[in-house]
Amino acid sequence: MRTLLLDGHPRAGALSSHLLDIYQAGLPGVTDRVALADLAFAETAIRSYAAVPEWEPDLADLWQRIWAADHLVLAFPLWWGDTPARLSGLFERLFLPQRAFAYHRDDPWWERGLAGRSADLLITMDTPPLWLRLAWRAPIVHRMRHQVLGFVGFKPVRAFLFGPTRRGGAERNLPRWEARVARAAQSAPGLRRGARHAALQDP
């Protein structure tokens, strides 16, 4: 199994990065790692899909790494109920029509260009995870599982929620969180992935 770890925190060295360290230590096979903080790209460059700008070198390189991966591990903080703006911008720039997905001409469905890959989400937050699920029904999990990663073919998409991080929560709970991340890494090779599709365009 080839795994890509993507640190989706805009700042290097955050809790997201530490959780990825733990995940990476428990992984068999080949691992690759990229940090959002190290990528140079314009996250607001798209105004219309009718005129999509060329990828910067870092985006072209990241696409190749995603294409080569069997499993994606994405770690990020929950900010205002969503991914950080720069991470959302990365999805906009990277998951393009006719490359990451392609609508059918004669029905409402679409081809998922990244089918055959699984993903794990490591989401840190100030909100208690139980409250996020019971009171708000964890919209970030539904969005990522169905409208972002699932939309382009990642399946299954598992979500691991870590919080609250404030008022010493991260320090008190870190050993338990680390153990949970290690278990996720150990179980990742056993995930059932579907068949890969041919590239919609040359990857």
Side-chain angles (χ1 to χ4, degrees):
M1 182 181 75
R2 186 180 186 94
T3 302
L4 173 63
L5 299 105
L6 177 57
D7 185 349
H9 201 296
R11 173 175 57 82
L15 177 59
S16 300
S17 180
H18 176 71
L19 295 179
L20 283 179
D21 290 341
I22 301 301
Y23 198 110
Q24 187 170 7
L27 275 174
V30 179
T31 60
D32 197 4
R33 186 161 174 169
V34 177
L36 180 68
D38 295 334
L39 300 179
F41 68 99
E43 63 266 31
T44 59
I46 292 181
R47 296 291 181 266
S48 166
Y49 281 138
V52 175
E54 292 292 323
W55 278 341
E56 294 87 343
D58 281 355
L59 291 189
D61 176 70
L62 179 56
W63 177 262
Q64 293 286 351
R65 293 171 188 243
I66 292 174
W67 185 259
D70 302 300
H71 183 60
L72 172 69
V73 185
L74 174 61
F76 62 89
L78 187 69
W79 287 358
W80 292 106
D82 202 352
T83 55
R86 186 161 173 78
L87 182 56
S88 292
L90 179 68
F91 298 144
E92 276 192 19
R93 293 293 314 280
L94 207 58
F95 293 160
L96 296 176
Q98 309 310 318
R99 186 177 289 273
F101 67 96
Y103 287 117
H104 295 172
R105 182 185 299 273
D106 299 320
D107 62 49
W109 309 112
W110 64 97
E111 295 299 318
R112 304 172 196 264
L114 293 172
R117 296 160 179 83
S118 56
D120 280 344
L121 306 175
L122 310 181
I123 309 174
T124 62
M125 61 193 70
D126 290 339
T127 305
L130 184 61
W131 181 262
L132 185 81
R133 291 188 184 279
L134 294 182
W136 297 330
R137 300 187 180 182
I140 184 62
V141 175
H142 290 284
R143 174 178 176 255
M144 296 300 297
R145 184 174 286 156
H146 301 293
Q147 295 178 284
V148 181
L149 296 181
F151 189 88
V152 298
F154 287 91
K155 186 179 181 180
V157 178
R158 302 188 298 179
F160 301 89
L161 309 180
F162 303 97
T165 58
R166 64 193 186 100
R167 296 184 178 179
E171 291 78 7
R172 288 193 304 273
N173 292 296
L174 191 57
R176 182 165 55 88
W177 295 351
E178 289 173 338
R180 190 176 179 211
V181 169
R183 290 193 299 270
Q186 292 163 7
S187 64
L191 295 175
R192 297 184 63 181
R193 302 168 185 87
R196 289 198 182 208
H197 292 182
L200 301 178
Q201 289 186 5
D202 184 356

